[in-house]
Amino acid sequence: AKRPAGGGGGGGGGATTSAGLSAAKLDAETEELKHQTVDKDLRLAIMKGRTAKGLTQKQLAQSLNMQPAIINEYESGKAIPNNAIIAKIERALGCKLPRAKK
């Protein structure tokens, strides 16, 4: 049984804005909590290395026996950096990546 959508065809649009708002709220909260996230240099380095090898996030994750979501989180900057994972990605891509600061 389908649940009735809020505004007919426009219901889907409303969902994304509410998701966007909650994502913005989450971002604001993580700023306050100040837990470490992947910095821009690392995100770009992973993306560059992966695209240079012609791999998708999923293919890279499979070659590392990891969930694709992990690669996605590192590239979108949501992951909390883990040098062990960074080292694994580094070996798979065959390039140096900036490490998380201790």
Side-chain angles (χ1 to χ4, degrees):
K2 283 188 177 175
R3 293 202 178 99
T16 48
T17 46
S18 67
L21 285 173
S22 58
K25 273 185 202 152
L26 268 174
D27 281 349
E29 277 176 30
T30 52
E31 294 308 304
E32 287 163 31
L33 296 172
K34 292 268 189 294
H35 77 67
Q36 202 181 4
T37 54
V38 178
D39 68 348
K40 198 169 166 228
D41 297 338
L42 176 58
R43 286 169 32 199
L44 294 173
I46 293 173
M47 274 186 228
K48 267 202 198 104
R50 181 175 58 77
T51 50
K53 286 223 173 217
L55 296 170
T56 62
Q57 288 182 352
K58 188 178 177 189
Q59 288 167 327
L60 174 58
Q62 283 172 337
S63 71
L64 296 169
N65 295 323
M66 290 181 188
Q67 294 296 318
I70 295 173
I71 305 298
N72 184 289
E73 283 171 8
Y74 270 83
E75 287 191 9
S76 61
K78 292 187 188 85
I80 296 170
N82 174 338
N83 281 332
I85 292 177
I86 295 170
K88 271 178 136 181
I89 295 172
E90 206 173 59
R91 281 196 299 274
L93 296 178
C95 65
K96 277 285 186 210
L97 297 173
R99 293 304 166 97
K101 290 156 197 68
K102 291 249 182 291

